[in-house]
Amino acid sequence: TQTGPVPAVEVWPEVERAERLARGAALKWASGVFCRPEHLERLSQYRKRESQRTTSIHTRLKSMVQSYLEGVGWGLEQLREARSELNQVSQALKKAGLESDQNLEGVKSLERLREVSVQHRQLVAAVSNLPRLYSVRSLVLETERLVESRRLLEAHARLMDLEHWQDDILWQLHGAAASTGSKLSPEDQQLVDKYFSGVGQLVDALAKELWAVVSSSLALARQNPTPFVSAVRIVEREEALDRVLLEERSGTNGRPLPPGRPRCWRASFFQVLEEAVSARFRSVSYLHTRGPGLAGHLSALQHGIMADLATVRHLLEHCVPPHYHLTGAYLRASHRCLHTHLAQVSSWDLESGEIFAVLNWVLHIYNSPDMMGHPELVAEMEREDLGPLISSEGLELLQNKYVQSVRKSVSEWMHKALQVELQDWQRDQEPDTDHEGFYQTSLPTIITQMLEENARVALMIGTSLRDQTIQMGLYEMENLLNRFREALVEFGKEHRRDPNNSKSKFYLHYLLASISNCIILKKSTESLQQQQSSRSAGRFSRTPPNPLAALDRAVRRACRLVMDQLLLNLQPFLPGLLTRPWLVQGDPTPKLCRVLEHHLELYGRVRPPCRQRLQEEAQWLTVVEYVRALMQKKFVCRSADERKQLAQQMLQDEQLFREIFHSLEAEGSIPEVNPLALLPVIADFIRLKDPNMLTLEVSGLAAKYPDISEEHVSVLLDVRGDVSRDVRGSVLDLLEQSAPPLPAGYRPIFSDILVPPSSMAFCLPTAKCA
C-alpha cells in the first residue's frame, strides 16, 4: 500500500484561545504562589493536587459524553420506527383511495333518491304548516284587539305563538336549503316576511303600550298596579327568550337569530323609566322658575322626588324582581336629570337670591335627612355612588357669580348711601347723636348692616363663600372710603369758597360726624376680618384689600379739615397777639379761649380715640400759631420791665390755655412733648436778666427742642432787645455747633413755625448776619 501524507488535524480557534487563557492563568497563579525560593519546597504537593484535579475532570467529561452518545442512539432508533409506521399509513391511504374511486358510481345513482327525499320533507312541512298559515291573519287581528284593550299578557302569548310559527317556517326553509348545499333564497325570505308582516307591527304596538304603562307606573302604582306587573312579566319573558335564542345561535346547530332579536326590553324598561323621570323636568317652564319662583320650584322638586321615591320603595319595588333594584334605578335617573336640569338653571343669568337658592338646595337640602340623606335612602345612595349633583368647577363658578351679583348690589347700595350722606351734610341742622351723645349719620349703620348680613347669608352656604363675600365687601369698603375722602375734600373746598353760606352753618359738625362714622366703620371692618378663616389668606389672586389704610387716610383728611376750620375761626384774633395793646389789655386771648372752648366742646361729640387726637391737634395748633405771632416781632422789648411784663403775660396765656385743655390731663392723653410747655420756656428766655447767661439758656432750649433753628433764636434775641452783637454771635455759634439730632418719637414743633423773612435787602458776605 501506498501511504500518503498525514492530513493536518484541524484545530478550532476557540480551543487555541482557551489554551492560551489557561496557560496565562496558570503562569499568573504560579508566579503568585512561587514568588520566593523557599516556596519551591511545596512544588511536589501542588503537582500532585493538580494531577488529581485533572484526572477528576477527565473522568466527568467522559461520563457526560457517554450519556450524550446513548441519548443520540435512542433518538435514532425512534426515528427508524416512525419511518416504518409512516410507510404503513401511506399504503393504507392508497388502498382507501382506490376503494373510494370504485364506489363513486354507486353514489351518483343515489342523487335522484336524495332529491325525492328533500321534496317529500318540504311537502310534509307545508302540510303541517297549512293550519297555522291559514290562522295567521285571524290571530294577528285578535292580538291587535288584545293590545288595544291593554290585555297585555294575553296579547304577548298570541304574539309569541306567531313568532314561534314564523321562526319554525324560516328554520325549515333554512334546513331545506342547507340540505341541498345552498342558502335560503331572498325570494323565500321576502315571502315569509311579507306573510308575517303583521307580526312586526304587533311587536311595535305591544312595545308602545308597554312603555306607556312603564312611563305612567308612578300613577298606576297608586291606583291599579296590575298593568305594570304585566309589563314587567312580559319584559322578563322577552329577556328569557333572548337568552335562549342567543344560546341556540352559539350552539352546535348554529340556528340563526330571528328578525329583531335580541330585543333587550329590560334595558329599554330602565331607559323608559329614566325618560319618564326627565319628562318631569322638561315640563318645567323657564318663566315660572325665575326670580322668587326658583326657590319654590326647587322645593316642589324636592317634594315631588321624595313622593315618587316613596311610591317606588313601598309599591313598585314589590312589583319587580329583586335584581331590578328599582329604587336605585330611580335614584340614578333622578340624579342624572337633576344634574342636567341644574346645569341648565346655572347657565341662566341669575340674581344673587336665585344663586343662593340653588347653592343652598344643592349643598344642604339635597343631602339632608329630608331628602337623599333619609335613613332609608342612605344605603342606596352609597351603593349607587352617584357623585356630586354639581361638579366642583360648577360650584366654584356659581359662587363666583353669586359674589359678583352681591358685589354689584353692594356697590349700588354704597353709592346710594354715600349720596344720602352728602345730602345730609347740606342739612340746616346738627347731625344725629347716638345713645352716648356722639355725632353719627346713617352711613355706617347702612354699610355695617349690609356687609354683616351678606356675610351671615353666605355662611349659610359655607365658609368659603363667606370668606369670598367678606373679601368682596372689604374691597367695596375700600372703594367707598376712597370716594368718601374725595367727598370730604370737595366739601372742604366748597366751604372755603363760601364760608358764610347758610349750608355751611354745620360744616364742622358734619366733619366731626364723619370722623365718628369712620371709627364705627373701622370696628365693623375689624370684625369682618376676624370672621375670615385663616385658610382664606393668600387664596385670592388679587392684592388683598386694605380698608383700614383707606379709613386712616379719610380720618386724617377729616381731622385736617377740622384743624383748618379751627385756624379759620382763630384767624381774626391772631394778629392782635403779642402786641402792645395785648400786653396792656390782655386782649384777644380770652376770645381765642372762647373759640377753643367751643371747638373742644364739639370735639367731645367724637368717638375715642379721635376725640383725644383732635384735642391734641388743637393744642398743637394753638401753640404753633401763638409762637408764630411772636416770631413776627410785632413787639420788641425796650427795657427789663417790658421783658418781665411780656413773660408774665405769656405765662398767664399759657395758664388759660392749660385750663382749657385740662380734659387731656384728666384723660391721661397728654402727648410725650406737651406743646404748652414751650411757652414757659420762651417766657424764661425773654425775662432772663443777664444776657451773658443766654448761651446757657439757648443750650437748654436746643436740648428740649432740637428742631429749633438759628432764625428762631435770632428772632427771640431781637424780641429781648438787649442782646449785643458779640453775645448774639456766640449764642448762634453755640447753636450751630450743638445741633443735636432729632430723637426717635419726637414731633418737631419749630418746623411748623415759619420765621418771616428779614427786611434787610442783603447781607455782607464777609460778616455773619446779626
Side-chain angles (χ1 to χ4, degrees), residues 694-710:
L694 287 175
T695 304
L696 183 61
E697 191 72 20
V698 169
S699 176
L701 183 62
K704 290 183 180 180
Y705 302 97
D707 61 319
I708 192 170
S709 65
E710 294 182 14

Side-chain angles (χ1 to χ4, degrees), residues 179-199:
S179 63
T180 60
S182 61
K183 294 184 179 180
L184 182 63
S185 64
E187 293 79 6
D188 292 342
Q189 181 70 45
Q190 291 176 2
L191 181 62
V192 174
D193 291 343
K194 182 178 180 181
Y195 196 80
F196 285 94
S197 61
V199 176

Side-chain angles (χ1 to χ4, degrees), residues 371-659:
M371 203 169 175
M372 296 306 176
H374 193 278
E376 298 181 7
L377 297 176
V378 171
E380 291 287 345
M381 289 289 290
E382 292 177 352
R383 186 174 68 241
E384 295 299 333
D385 191 18
L386 300 177
L389 196 57
I390 296 181
S391 64
S392 56
E393 294 80 6
L395 283 176
E396 184 176 358
L397 181 61
L398 266 182
Q399 290 185 1
N400 291 336
K401 288 175 64 176
Y402 175 81
V403 173
Q404 292 303 321
S405 178
V406 173
R407 181 171 196 162
K408 179 180 178 182
S409 176
V410 167
S411 179
E412 292 175 355
W413 274 102
M414 285 187 174
H415 179 72
K416 293 179 181 178
L418 183 58
Q419 295 302 317
V420 172
E421 178 75 4
L422 299 182
Q423 294 174 5
D424 288 345
W425 290 352
Q426 307 299 327
R427 291 194 307 174
D428 192 18
Q429 62 183 34
E430 284 191 54
D432 299 330
T433 57
D434 60 8
H435 63 284
E436 296 178 299
F438 299 128
Y439 283 144
Q440 70 171 16
T441 60
S442 59
L443 179 66
T445 303
I446 295 174
I447 301 302
T448 300
Q449 290 180 354
M450 179 169 51
L451 296 182
E452 291 286 347
E453 180 67 16
N454 284 327
R456 185 187 64 80
V457 171
L459 183 60
M460 297 171 65
I461 301 300
T463 56
S464 175
L465 185 60
R466 179 200 61 186
D467 293 342
Q468 293 184 52
T469 305
I470 291 177
Q471 192 85 344
M472 174 275 299
L474 294 179
Y475 277 120
E476 292 302 317
M477 174 82 81
E478 184 176 8
N479 295 334
L480 170 72
L481 291 171
N482 290 333
R483 297 196 302 269
F484 183 75
R485 182 171 59 87
E486 295 171 359
L488 284 174
V489 173
E490 188 62 30
F491 189 40
K493 290 180 180 179
E494 292 179 0
H495 178 69
R496 284 194 295 272
R497 283 195 294 265
D498 188 8
N500 297 321
N501 187 4
S502 60
K503 293 183 178 180
S504 301
K505 181 179 179 181
F506 296 98
Y507 167 75
L508 178 61
H509 304 70
Y510 281 101
L511 286 178
L512 299 176
S514 299
I515 296 175
S516 290
N517 291 343
C518 290
I519 301 302
I520 298 174
L521 290 176
K522 180 180 179 182
K523 294 179 181 179
S524 174
T525 301
E526 292 173 345
S527 174
L528 288 173
Q529 290 177 335
Q530 291 173 1
Q531 292 180 38
Q532 282 185 293
S533 60
S534 58
R535 296 191 304 272
S536 65
R539 182 188 302 171
F540 307 98
S541 59
R542 294 179 55 186
T543 304
N546 194 0
L548 293 179
L551 269 168
D552 186 63
R553 290 192 296 269
V555 169
R556 287 179 182 273
R557 175 55 59 185
C559 290
R560 184 67 264 167
L561 293 175
V562 171
M563 290 300 104
D564 291 345
Q565 182 63 25
L566 173 60
L567 181 59
L568 182 65
N569 293 340
L570 293 177
Q571 199 64 45
F573 312 107
L574 294 178
L577 284 176
L578 297 163
T579 60
R580 290 195 177 275
W582 163 82
L583 186 63
V584 175
Q585 302 174 4
D587 216 31
T589 303
K591 297 178 181 178
L592 286 173
C593 292
R594 286 195 291 271
V595 173
L596 288 172
E597 288 176 349
H598 174 67
H599 274 257
L600 292 177
E601 181 183 358
L602 291 179
Y603 298 166
R605 299 294 187 93
V606 180
R607 290 180 173 274
C610 285
R611 176 177 58 194
Q612 291 81 0
R613 178 178 176 181
L614 288 173
Q615 292 171 349
E616 293 172 6
E617 291 297 322
Q619 188 182 46
W620 193 273
L621 176 66
T622 302
V623 174
V624 167
E625 294 300 325
Y626 192 92
V627 177
R628 182 180 286 128
L630 179 65
M631 293 292 111
Q632 293 176 1
K633 295 190 292 186
K634 292 179 287 187
F635 179 82
V636 177
C637 298
R638 301 171 183 172
S639 62
D641 292 338
E642 286 188 354
R643 287 192 291 274
K644 180 179 179 182
Q645 188 177 1
L646 174 61
Q648 290 177 350
Q649 188 62 38
M650 289 181 65
L651 291 175
Q652 291 178 9
D653 289 352
E654 186 267 341
Q655 185 62 33
L656 290 175
F657 293 150
R658 192 175 294 277
E659 291 176 359

Side-chain angles (χ1 to χ4, degrees), residues 43-67:
L43 178 61
S44 60
Q45 298 177 2
Y46 284 114
R47 181 181 294 155
K48 182 179 180 180
R49 189 180 67 182
E50 293 301 322
S51 176
Q52 292 174 353
R53 183 183 298 173
T54 304
T55 303
S56 174
I57 291 174
H58 286 169
T59 302
R60 282 185 289 174
L61 285 173
K62 290 178 181 179
S63 175
M64 183 176 65
V65 170
Q66 181 65 29
S67 64

